[in-house]
Amino acid sequence: MVVNGGKNIVVGPTTATNFTATVTASDPSGVIETGLTLWYGSGSYNDAKGRIARAGDLKCTASSSTTTTCTIPFQVIANPRALTNEVTNSFAGTWHVSASAFSKNRVQTVDDSFTTVKVQRASQLTVNATPEPVKKGQPVTVTGKLSRANWDTHQYAGYSGQPVKLQFRAKSSATYTTVKTVTTSSTGTLKTTVTASADGYYRYSFAGTSTTPAANAAGDFIDVQ
């Protein structure tokens, strides 16, 4: 079984997120089809608070007389109502994966928590280093903002209290090095000061959490004179 190519499922504030899963099953009599549903909750499948179900036709291929692989399409969108194939903020994090198979001798096998996958709120990260240009040895102020999708309001909102690394890459280098760690404000903003030493790029880098994916800001170039 592979869900979304083995990656976390990242959902933005407005547009639908589409992904697929492939499920392979075997039975001596052969397999007609396989199925999969994602569900959120701390109890059983029947008590799930949220579900992401198939959103289109199955594409099944038999690799032998006993084994079949099905590709299953899904679509999920942010919505505070949290109906099937909709997610609200409180649902971000780890989801269970329910897998099933239906054999040619008409036996259905179901595992309500075969594995888990993370469904996360999309993140954005910005950076701005000033002044430009700057004299060597003078202060450089680096600002930015960490935001993530608010599934209830359909907007991006600041992600507060998060550690974010300020990194620098010299003009002649391909590698970023961490300078310090800055914590986001109550509105998700970042601000710190460093000393100008050489031409190069500053960026903020966020490692991510269970509910929000990692993000790197595009580097902002500083000309040091």
Side-chain angles (χ1 to χ4, degrees), residues 88-131:
T88 188
N89 285 343
S90 61
F91 290 177
T94 301
W95 285 57
H96 301 273
V97 178
S98 173
S100 64
F102 192 69
S103 69
K104 288 184 178 179
N105 63 3
R106 308 187 71 80
V107 174
Q108 185 177 31
T109 302
V110 180
D111 186 333
D112 283 338
S113 191
F114 183 83
T115 188
T116 59
V117 66
K118 285 185 172 59
V119 180
Q120 298 179 309
R121 297 163 63 175
S123 57
Q124 293 182 338
L125 186 57
T126 63
V127 67
N128 183 41
T130 57

Side-chain angles (χ1 to χ4, degrees), residues 37-40 43-51 97-98 112-113:
T37 300
L38 282 68
W39 61 277
Y40 180 82
S44 68
Y45 175 86
N46 292 331
D47 297 323
K49 296 179 181 180
R51 286 189 175 90
V97 178
S98 173
D112 283 338
S113 191

Side-chain angles (χ1 to χ4, degrees), residues 124-145:
Q124 293 182 338
L125 186 57
T126 63
V127 67
N128 183 41
T130 57
E132 303 174 52
V134 63
K135 290 184 178 182
K136 186 174 182 179
Q138 294 300 301
V140 176
T141 300
V142 188
T143 58
K145 185 172 183 178

